[in-house]
Amino acid sequence: MRGLLLARSFLIQGSWNYRNLIGTGLAWSVLPVAGSANPAEATEATEATEATPDSPEETFNSHPYLSTVAIGALARLVRDGADPERVRRFLQALRSPLGSLGDKLFWGTWRPLCLLTAILAFVLGAPPTWVVFGFLLGYNALHLALRAWGLQIGIRAGFGVARVMARARLAERSERMEVLGVLFSGTLLGGLSHMALGLPGRSWFWLLAGAGLLLTGFSGGRALRRWMPGLLLAFVVLGLAVGASPAALIVE
């Protein structure tokens, strides 16, 4: 059953509309559970996702990748025969956090970071096919993992899913990845400057620097924000100095 719910989550935006956004898609996603539950209770619970002309607030929206949290929780509540009014209030409270957190984590942080990593790999000489494959693999690894995780915690926690998500600290992890993205931008800027000026030296420096900044971004996180301009300037200057050093000439 979980596999079917996960598969249906990929189509949750298929019925998107201005009236209830993905409310219809959410109700459709839990139909397999509703069909095996008490018909009357299942109908009432799934109707909590449907808007009516005089109740436009009963829409539902979410970032598509985190929609599985709502799908799993709703499936659990339908199965348990939860009070429909309480389910309705629960979904209203859940939709904004899922939307804002997903937008920040994926559109604002993870996707740009994966793109920067792919560009950096291309600058370092990776074949274009491998760059594209690596980008798709890395990006979707987190995407698919969070879909499965969201469904699992939704089914397990039900009404208590907010507490589980708070313990996961996704917002904090997103902030760390933001810092990581800025550091990778510095790596890329240094590498491109090195190439544009035609300085001697090999790309090992940028490869090691990228790996080091990966660890620095995740471990330092928010604490590095105030030092970011100075770090980027120092990194670019250091990279250009390494590229033009006598040691680099000997290597060449």
Side-chain angles (χ1 to χ4, degrees):
M1 185 65 74
R2 292 191 181 190
L4 181 57
L5 293 176
L6 182 62
R8 286 192 168 216
S9 73
F10 287 90
L11 302 175
I12 195 171
Q13 292 180 300
S15 59
W16 189 97
N17 60 83
Y18 287 105
R19 185 170 66 90
N20 67 345
L21 303 178
I22 64 171
T24 302
L26 176 61
W28 176 82
S29 297
V30 299
L31 278 180
V33 176
S36 61
N38 180 283
E41 294 176 344
T43 300
E44 291 179 355
T46 53
E47 282 179 352
T49 66
E50 297 287 350
T52 59
D54 57 339
S55 300
E57 74 280 4
E58 293 177 9
T59 61
F60 183 79
N61 200 26
S62 165
H63 189 280
Y65 298 170
L66 293 181
S67 64
T68 52
V69 176
I71 292 173
L74 182 58
R76 163 71 180 273
L77 301 178
V78 168
R79 186 188 64 189
D80 293 348
D83 176 62
E85 182 57 33
R86 189 182 178 193
V87 172
R88 182 177 290 106
R89 294 196 302 268
F90 168 72
L91 292 176
Q92 290 175 2
L94 192 62
R95 64 190 185 190
S96 294
L98 290 182
S100 59
L101 179 60
D103 287 347
K104 180 179 181 181
L105 179 61
F106 286 101
W107 302 157
T109 304
W110 184 240
R111 183 170 59 182
L113 180 58
C114 289
L115 286 172
L116 284 171
T117 305
I119 295 173
L120 180 60
F122 181 74
V123 169
L124 293 175
T129 302
W130 285 104
V131 170
V132 174
F133 178 77
F135 167 78
L136 294 175
L137 181 64
Y139 178 80
N140 286 294
L142 180 62
H143 155 218
L144 296 175
L146 276 185
R147 274 190 187 266
W149 172 79
L151 183 65
Q152 178 182 359
I153 66 169
I155 293 175
R156 184 176 70 244
F159 284 124
V161 73
R163 291 191 297 271
V164 178
M165 292 192 66
R167 289 196 296 268
R169 301 186 297 177
L170 294 181
E172 179 181 338
R173 296 175 190 272
S174 178
E175 290 183 356
R176 289 190 176 187
M177 284 193 291
E178 286 180 0
V179 175
L180 181 60
V182 176
L183 292 176
F184 260 61
S185 298
T187 311
L188 182 60
L189 177 60
L192 292 176
S193 300
H194 183 276
M195 295 175 60
L197 295 176
L199 298 176
R202 298 197 182 267
S203 60
W204 60 266
F205 173 81
W206 306 108
L207 183 62
L208 293 177
L213 292 177
L214 177 67
L215 298 176
T216 303
F218 276 117
S219 61
R222 191 185 309 174
L224 293 174
R225 288 182 182 272
R226 70 171 72 179
W227 307 104
M228 201 60 60
L231 283 173
L232 293 181
L233 179 60
F235 180 75
V236 173
V237 172
L238 177 62
L240 296 179
V242 170
S245 66
L249 292 173
I250 294 175
V251 172
E252 283 290 315

